[in-house]
Amino acid sequence: MYSVITVQNVLSNFDFARVQQVMLFMGWRWLVGNALRVPTVSELEATARMMLELVSDEQSSVTSGGLVADMDDGALRLRFVIEQRTSEVK
């Protein structure tokens, strides 16, 4: 578990308004309560806070609705991912 200061630092440097704009543009909706809609900036931030608080070690990541909270070289990280590919290296 990371300190409240670390989590707050990540949140305060993340552009939730831009994420919301992308979601509006793409028609990307979340189930919020009983309604399927684009979340508010406050709802995005609250979800991100919960996710960041759940990340407990370098092996841990938490994802929800495009948001990804994880570790990057020992630092707590928050991302909004709209596309991702992986490939096995052989």
Side-chain angles (χ1 to χ4, degrees), residues 18-90:
R18 185 164 73 168
V19 169
Q20 186 190 45
Q21 289 174 344
V22 169
M23 293 179 82
L24 286 165
F25 176 77
M26 295 179 70
W28 189 330
R29 300 175 295 169
W30 286 3
L31 184 60
V32 181
N34 292 325
L36 191 59
R37 61 177 173 79
V38 174
T40 65
V41 168
S42 296
E43 290 165 338
L44 287 165
E45 185 172 353
T47 300
R49 177 182 302 279
M50 177 189 65
M51 293 169 59
L52 289 166
E53 290 172 352
L54 290 172
V55 174
S56 61
D57 59 52
E58 292 187 28
Q59 303 304 315
S60 180
S61 67
V62 180
T63 64
S64 180
L67 291 174
V68 179
D70 61 5
M71 293 293 298
D72 182 36
D73 289 329
L76 194 57
R77 175 173 66 172
L78 179 64
R79 298 175 287 147
F80 180 67
V81 179
I82 60 170
E83 181 177 356
Q84 181 172 316
R85 282 190 200 108
T86 57
S87 177
E88 288 186 30
V89 178
K90 296 184 180 193

